[in-house]
Amino acid sequence: MKVTPWEVEGVVDYYKLMDEFGISSFSTLVDRIPNPHRFIRRGIIFGHRDYDRIIDAIRSRKSWAVMSGFMPSGSAHFGHKMTMEEIVWHQKMGGMAFVAIADMEANFVRGLSWAKTREIGFQYIKSIIALGLDKNNSIIYFQSASRKVKDLAFELSKETNFSELRAIYGFESETPIARFYIPLVQAADILQPQLKDFGGPKPVVVPVGADQDPHIRLTRDLAARSSIFSFEKIENGVRIRSRKGVNYLEALKGLNFEKKIYEEHLDVFGDQREIEDAVRCVEVEIGGFAFVPPSSIYHKFMTGLLGGKMSSSKPESYISLFDKPEDGAKKVGKALTGGRATASEQRQLGGEPDKCVVFELFAYHLIEDDRDLAEIKENCLCGKTMCGNCKKLAAELTKNFLSEFQERVNEAESKLDEYEIIY
Ligand code: TRP
Ligand code: SF4
């Protein structure tokens, strides 16, 4: 298996992936999340970094944000719908939503013209609005049009170098500099919600596919390196150092906690989160970024309709959100199932929903009620349903979804100017 931001290959073993990347399992958090989205309930979101911070923020109603980005490289499909729904759900849970249209990435990596990235970008924007993005508490922008993001990318670029990016992305001496710039712009996308203009440091969660984790790791490192103060847990408190010279420690003398002052650091005693928040407040006052390391969640990749990967060059491998409803239904009819070779064998042994793309469609997109989904699974496992009938249901649901969705996209078109969109 190979999972990088530029390619995903082979069958993905999510346990192995978490282990290799150092992603934590999401399953232990599920019980603490109010009104969990079906991706959460069904283990489709399998991993996270620092999501505890977001749960705390949701519950304590502190200011926090959700942000993700979309490369406008082809028609929006059910894979994009996953990330879009995750943004919308987090916004409903109280987060401010940031939506980046990664036109710089599409322009360079995919070679699309700016006119094309704009056209596709607006298709994505209408899609996320159709999926429920609220105009209040949201900002949508094209990377190329965001002065703030580009300026921040420059600031972050001071904190990394060739060796580091080569180690993470495998860059070589012939690699065009634009390739180096793209992860920095993405890091700026992710850290932008924490700028002073948006209320300063705060928890931010980034919903993505696991292929984006290298960018997340880099961003978390850059967040720390571009902030003045660093934190290290000690017994009953936090040790604080300054990355930009010991003089900055002066600024922390007024902190309202029990503390011990040393030449090179400061030991502060009390609740870790509270201390860190207080220190970040001071840092912002003296002009620092004081970034909170961003949190992330990872969803599983959807399987291509014919098995294997979804590939933008093979339209029969995925359902586009803009397929004619009948065409979408037809694609479902041809999808790979977990059915047996013959009907009688299937009646005896039952089907294999865990290997079935149609069942995946139900679980990821088409069936909201967990009991209905469980029933479909049981009827499959015990050999009561035949794949033909099952596919009919999936095709019908797909058709209905697409026609309702496309109607909402048309409505979104006329509402676009109510949204804050930077382009
Ligand atoms: N690189 C992402 C992709 O290929 C798109 C992206 C751009 C992004 N900026 C982001 C994702 C910020 C998450 C956060 O799909
Ligand atoms: Fe998939 Fe349905 Fe066939 Fe089971 S019966 S393998 S869920 S299509």
Side-chain angles (χ1 to χ4, degrees), residues 347-360:
R347 265 182 226 108
Q348 266 172 23
L349 300 171
E352 297 181 281
D354 292 336
K355 295 184 184 165
C356 175
V357 176
V358 177
F359 188 76
E360 189 183 282

Side-chain angles (χ1 to χ4, degrees), residues 312-333:
S312 46
S313 57
K314 280 189 277 169
E316 59 305 344
S317 73
Y318 63 89
I319 301 170
S320 158
L321 295 174
F322 293 87
D323 276 343
K324 283 206 200 89
E326 304 74 44
D327 293 350
K330 266 188 218 144
K331 287 184 184 175
V332 174

Side-chain angles (χ1 to χ4, degrees), residues 337-339 346 351-353 356 358-359 376 380 385-387 390-391:
T337 70
Q346 182 143 344
E352 297 181 281
C356 175
V358 177
F359 188 76
I376 292 176
C380 168
T385 331
M386 294 295 115
C387 294
C390 215
K391 273 183 172 174

